[in-house]
Amino acid sequence: MKEKLFISNILLVLALLATSMAAPAQEKDTIVIIKEVHDTLWLSPADEMRHIQTGPAPTSGYDRRVHRYRRRWAALIPTHSKLQFAGNMGLLSAGFGWDYGRRNQWETDLLFGFVPKYDSSRAKATFTLKQNYIPWSLQIKESRFSAEPLTCGIYLNTVFGDEFWTSEPDRYPKGYYGFSSKVRIHAFLGQRITYDIDPKRRFTAKAITLFYELSTCDLYLISAVTNRYLRPRDYLSLSFGLKVQLL
């Protein structure tokens, strides 16, 4: 093999010398295209040489519009999925969401949940729009684990069903309730721990996060302020969740 390589190198040098003597002087931006056949390297004829331009390819207004169009649609692809237990959004909720921001410190989630019928006539479905903020992410020594010591945010939750309303029905005196039974505004605080999966072992997920949250809603908060006898367990809700980072 070494002998073949040595012979190939000699042939290459001889071919270069022969071409430089026979061909006219080349411009600086002209390159020689080399074709490899087995162990022998051959030079293409001088009249087949082409000039290669460097730098970004010229683009038209149409090309730029197409790139913007594709980039905006790509931004709609969810970056993670979530599963959450409790939290006044149903017994169990599942959905997807997006991470964004310079450090991916913002999250927006869409969750669908269900409430068992318990003492009512039927089970109920819920929908939640949730906004999360994660100010810090701390690496745990040199491991693949990281901790988010504080997460916070708000979410809107609604229950599907004719028995719930956004404005008081006519059967009640005006101002009798003064709140909606269909939409609740929640605020929460929580913590997380994340495991970054080894790139060699990733299948569908990039990272897995476990978290818990303490939340309350507008109605519970008003009740806590106006009724001093209530305890935190009466107006706070504890929930647990799992986040699977897809992108």
Side-chain angles (χ1 to χ4, degrees), residues 30-104:
T30 302
I31 66 168
V32 177
I33 301 176
I34 300 176
K35 180 180 179 182
E36 181 178 357
V37 180
H38 301 293
D39 292 331
T40 305
L41 297 176
W42 300 90
L43 295 178
S44 59
D47 56 356
E48 294 182 3
M49 297 180 182
R50 297 292 182 266
H51 297 283
I52 297 180
Q53 297 180 353
T54 60
T59 58
S60 64
Y62 170 78
D63 294 329
R64 291 190 291 270
R65 285 193 297 271
V66 169
H67 285 298
R68 287 196 300 268
Y69 177 81
R70 291 177 176 174
R71 185 170 60 251
R72 290 169 182 172
W73 274 107
L76 298 179
I77 300 175
T79 58
H80 64 261
S81 59
K82 278 188 179 179
L83 185 68
Q84 189 159 348
F85 172 76
N88 287 320
M89 60 177 70
L91 177 66
L92 192 66
S93 300
F96 53 87
W98 300 264
D99 304 87
Y100 51 94
R102 180 175 298 180
R103 295 174 287 103
N104 283 337

Side-chain angles (χ1 to χ4, degrees), residues 13-247:
V13 172
L14 294 175
L16 287 172
L17 290 175
T19 304
S20 62
M21 295 174 61
Q26 300 176 359
E27 297 179 359
K28 293 183 179 180
D29 59 349
T30 302
I31 66 168
V32 177
I33 301 176
I34 300 176
K35 180 180 179 182
E36 181 178 357
V37 180
H38 301 293
D39 292 331
T40 305
L41 297 176
W42 300 90
L43 295 178
S44 59
D47 56 356
E48 294 182 3
M49 297 180 182
R50 297 292 182 266
H51 297 283
I52 297 180
Q53 297 180 353
T54 60
T59 58
S60 64
Y62 170 78
D63 294 329
R64 291 190 291 270
R65 285 193 297 271
V66 169
H67 285 298
R68 287 196 300 268
Y69 177 81
R70 291 177 176 174
R71 185 170 60 251
R72 290 169 182 172
W73 274 107
L76 298 179
I77 300 175
T79 58
H80 64 261
S81 59
K82 278 188 179 179
L83 185 68
Q84 189 159 348
F85 172 76
N88 287 320
M89 60 177 70
L91 177 66
L92 192 66
S93 300
F96 53 87
W98 300 264
D99 304 87
Y100 51 94
R102 180 175 298 180
R103 295 174 287 103
N104 283 337
Q105 71 272 28
W106 294 98
E107 291 178 0
T108 299
D109 300 325
L110 299 178
L111 302 170
F112 297 89
F114 80 98
V115 181
K117 64 179 184 178
Y118 295 121
D119 296 330
S120 61
S121 58
R122 62 180 179 85
K124 302 173 182 62
T126 67
F127 173 74
T128 303
L129 172 62
K130 189 178 182 184
Q131 183 65 42
N132 312 284
Y133 177 62
I134 308 97
W136 308 291
S137 181
L138 307 177
Q139 191 74 22
I140 300 177
K141 295 183 178 180
E142 297 182 357
S143 68
R144 306 194 69 87
F145 287 91
S146 60
E148 288 81 40
L150 173 64
T151 62
C152 56
I154 60 174
Y155 56 94
L156 301 177
N157 172 259
T158 185
V159 183
F160 298 104
D162 296 334
E163 60 269 40
F164 302 97
W165 34 263
T166 54
S167 58
E168 292 178 347
D170 295 336
R171 64 178 180 270
Y172 298 113
K174 186 176 181 180
Y176 183 80
Y177 280 103
F179 61 87
S180 168
S181 65
K182 191 175 185 65
V183 179
R184 295 268 67 81
I185 304 174
H186 300 258
F188 72 89
L189 295 173
Q191 292 181 321
R192 300 181 179 186
I193 185 168
T194 299
Y195 175 70
D196 185 28
I197 300 174
D198 189 333
K200 298 179 180 179
R201 299 181 179 179
R202 290 175 184 171
F203 181 63
T204 58
K206 179 180 179 181
I208 297 177
T209 300
L210 298 175
F211 65 89
Y212 77 89
E213 295 172 355
L214 281 174
S215 63
T216 187
C217 67
D218 50 354
L219 185 59
Y220 288 175
L221 190 58
I222 293 173
S223 299
V225 173
T226 56
N227 299 280
R228 299 292 183 180
Y229 60 86
L230 293 178
R231 298 180 179 180
R233 66 183 181 184
D234 296 323
Y235 54 84
L236 293 179
S237 176
L238 177 63
S239 63
F240 300 92
L242 171 70
K243 173 186 175 184
V244 179
Q245 193 72 38
L246 304 174
L247 301 177

